[in-house]
Amino acid sequence: MSIPTTSYRTLKHTLAYGVGLVFQRGTNYLLLPLLTTLLSPADYGYYALCFSVTAILVPLFEFAMLTALARFYFDVEADERPHVAFTVLAYLLAHTVVLTAILTLGAWFIGPIISEGPQTRRLLVLAAASACLSTLNNVPLIVLRVQERSSVYALLGAVRGALNLVLVFVFVAVVEFGWEGAIGGDILASCLAAGIGAVAVRKALKGEMRFPILSRMIKFALPIVPMNLAAAAFLSIDPLFIKTLGSMEEVATYAVALRVALILNLVVAAFQTAWPVTLFQMAEFEDAPARIARSTRHALAAMSIVCSALMLLVPELVGILAPSDVYRVSSEAAPLILLGLWVNAGVYMVMSNLHIPKKTGYLPLIYGSGLAVKVALNFAWIPDYGIVGAASATLVGYLAQCAVAIWISRSFYPVPYEVGKLAWLLAATALVCGAARFSYDLSYAPSVLARLGALVLFMASLMITGTVGWSEIRALRGRR
């Protein structure tokens, strides 16, 4: 398997998974104008807080067992794989139900820690239920990933997205249940999608409980749980800090900026879905480090182009997704978050190398170091700079993670990364971020011309510096 073939294989699955993720998560963008119009900024802030708490809870509910399933699925013979999948499903059913019950009963005591007010207890109960159903919904999806059934994965994503769109619209616009209705519709959609997904992979789940396998997977997963928790907290704790150091209205404006930036994550998450399987396959070759280095540059270059385009479209995206003038300030924070998410994509690729020598125990250190930097900067910058301070702290935190990840990864699985080309990718993307932010202050026509010029110069610089070569593009196209 040549390097262009490897990159093409990753690209093919990334596109297929991307379709599923667009349908699954893209409905949130269709609903955003509705929610920001029908809900007050304070109520939309509560909605955003609930999603933040859910995102923090999900790693505790999943307990890294989905990662363990992807890792151990190929360590057993084909006839043993249904037992691995069933063991994970059975464990997660018990684990999530117990955890949901504990959090529901404890909501009376835990709620005031998150935020004051009578709605806080309902927020925590809804967040726990959402995390539970989200975890169970992901089990069939991870099975489809390891089986490389990307088309079925995309179809299930479309079903999940359609259910979410219809149910949230009914609960918010028709029944008028407010922000609680928006969360409730999402929970019900996850429940129905989990059932449909279980039917789609029923043959792969026809196994028996294997406690020796479960013990090995838990041992593998334990170091990953803090890492996943830190990764989720990276973006999800910002609304909590802003609520504490600012106001609920600022929570709402930051949530819109984050939602705009997370459009990039539709691409990043699709790639991250396809990358682990491809990485483990590349690891079997003698020239694996060279393959990984080349594929890393290809992927980061593609995501950099998408990131730059989104930075230049931020004002229009904010205007479409949140028509109210209250949310115009979101444009100031979104480019910084976008740049941070692109850096995070690189962090993920470097950290993934540690799975090959099974040195996952260092992953919490990588994520924890960046999170510590971010938390400290949140306290320092949010009181003075508001949502821009939170976005800046996110970017610097991801850069700190990247530095630590490279340092640790080189010790256990050296990869000959093309440092010069990757450094230019970072510099060029950062320059686009600055140019985009400058152009927002211009009148409309000069702003559009400035942004188009920045994009053209960015693309030209990638070709001139050899960061992306025509020969490589032709090689990838030749694999179609």
Side-chain angles (χ1 to χ4, degrees):
M1 187 187 296
S2 65
I3 291 175
T5 300
T6 301
S7 295
Y8 175 74
R9 182 184 181 87
T10 304
L11 176 63
K12 182 180 70 174
H13 286 298
T14 296
L15 292 175
Y17 291 128
V19 171
L21 290 168
V22 165
F23 282 118
Q24 186 173 347
R25 303 180 183 181
T27 51
N28 292 326
Y29 293 94
L30 296 177
L31 290 168
L32 189 55
L34 173 74
L35 296 177
T36 54
T37 300
L38 296 182
L39 301 179
S40 67
D43 281 346
Y44 184 72
Y46 270 107
Y47 172 81
L49 271 180
C50 189
F51 260 103
S52 295
V53 176
T54 299
I56 294 172
L57 290 177
V58 164
L60 299 176
F61 277 78
E62 290 187 355
F63 206 68
M65 293 304 291
L66 299 182
T67 304
L69 172 58
R71 183 65 185 91
F72 283 86
Y73 192 81
F74 297 103
D75 281 357
V76 299
E77 300 296 331
D79 58 347
E80 288 290 317
R81 290 172 182 172
H83 302 310
V84 175
F86 180 82
T87 296
V88 170
L89 176 61
Y91 174 82
L92 285 179
L93 275 171
H95 178 80
T96 56
V97 169
V98 170
L99 198 53
T100 301
I102 292 173
L103 289 173
T104 300
L105 294 174
W108 184 274
F109 304 100
I110 302 174
I113 298 175
I114 301 173
S115 177
E116 298 178 358
Q119 302 184 89
T120 306
R121 287 186 291 276
R122 294 198 300 274
L123 183 153
L124 186 58
V125 171
L126 288 172
S130 180
C132 174
L133 270 300
S134 175
T135 298
L136 297 178
N137 180 51
N138 285 335
V139 174
L141 296 178
I142 199 71
V143 172
L144 292 172
R145 276 177 52 188
V146 295
Q147 293 179 337
E148 295 192 84
R149 296 168 62 188
S150 52
S151 58
V152 181
Y153 183 101
L155 179 60
L156 282 181
V159 172
R160 168 68 172 81
L163 289 170
N164 185 58
L165 182 64
V166 172
L167 292 171
V168 172
F169 177 82
V170 170
F171 287 173
V172 175
V174 179
V175 187
E176 298 183 354
F177 281 166
W179 70 267
E180 295 99 328
I183 300 296
D186 186 78
I187 291 172
L188 184 54
S190 293
C191 182
L192 295 173
I196 296 171
V199 173
V201 297
R202 60 189 182 279
K203 292 183 179 179
L205 296 174
K206 287 184 177 180
E208 299 176 354
M209 191 71 178
R210 292 286 196 263
F211 287 101
I213 294 177
L214 178 61
S215 177
R216 290 168 55 205
M217 287 194 290
I218 290 177
K219 183 178 179 180
F220 170 84
L222 275 174
I224 302 177
V225 175
M227 179 205 71
N228 288 346
L229 187 60
F234 232 95
L235 292 176
S236 302
I237 62 171
D238 285 338
L240 299 175
F241 272 99
I242 294 171
K243 171 63 175 66
T244 302
L245 303 173
S247 66
M248 189 61 77
E249 286 72 20
E250 286 182 300
V251 172
T253 55
Y254 185 82
V256 170
L258 180 59
R259 183 64 65 185
V260 169
L262 286 175
I263 295 175
L264 177 64
N265 257 19
L266 295 175
V267 177
V268 173
F271 169 77
Q272 291 176 346
T273 301
W275 179 248
V277 174
T278 304
L279 177 67
F280 293 136
Q281 291 172 342
M282 285 192 292
E284 298 177 0
F285 293 86
E286 292 184 2
D287 62 340
R291 292 171 180 266
I292 293 171
R294 186 71 61 85
S295 295
T296 296
R297 177 167 58 83
H298 290 165
L300 288 178
M303 287 185 279
S304 177
I305 294 170
V306 176
C307 178
S308 298
L310 289 173
M311 288 176 183
L312 299 171
L313 291 172
V314 161
E316 287 76 17
L317 291 171
V318 170
I320 293 170
L321 296 175
S324 173
D325 290 339
V326 174
Y327 298 102
R328 295 287 81 80
V329 69
S330 302
S331 298
E332 298 180 6
L336 293 168
I337 304 174
L338 274 164
L339 183 57
L341 291 175
W342 179 79
V343 173
N344 183 48
V347 173
Y348 177 84
M349 299 188 75
V350 174
M351 290 194 311
S352 296
N353 298 338
L354 293 175
H355 286 278
I356 298 173
K358 296 185 178 180
K359 296 295 183 178
T360 55
Y362 289 89
L363 298 180
L365 175 61
I366 296 173
Y367 270 112
S369 60
L371 182 60
V373 171
K374 175 185 169 66
V375 169
L377 293 178
N378 270 343
F379 279 113
W381 289 347
I382 289 178
D384 292 331
Y385 304 106
I387 64 172
V388 174
S392 301
T394 297
L395 171 58
V396 176
Y398 278 135
L399 289 170
Q401 272 188 357
C402 187
V404 176
I406 293 173
W407 175 61
I408 293 177
S409 179
R410 289 179 61 184
S411 301
F412 298 103
Y413 194 82
V415 173
Y417 291 115
E418 299 160 300
V419 177
K421 294 179 180 180
L422 293 178
W424 175 249
L425 265 180
L426 174 60
T429 309
L431 287 173
V432 171
C433 178
R437 181 63 192 87
F438 170 77
S439 70
Y440 301 161
D441 297 327
L442 303 176
S443 58
Y444 187 73
S447 174
V448 171
L449 291 175
R451 284 182 275 167
L452 286 174
L455 184 60
V456 170
L457 290 174
F458 170 76
M459 296 293 293
S461 73
L462 298 187
M463 295 297 180
I464 293 172
T465 60
T467 305
V468 177
W470 285 113
S471 60
E472 293 173 325
I473 296 175
R474 286 193 295 268
L476 289 173
R477 292 179 62 186
R479 300 305 308 167
R480 289 186 299 181

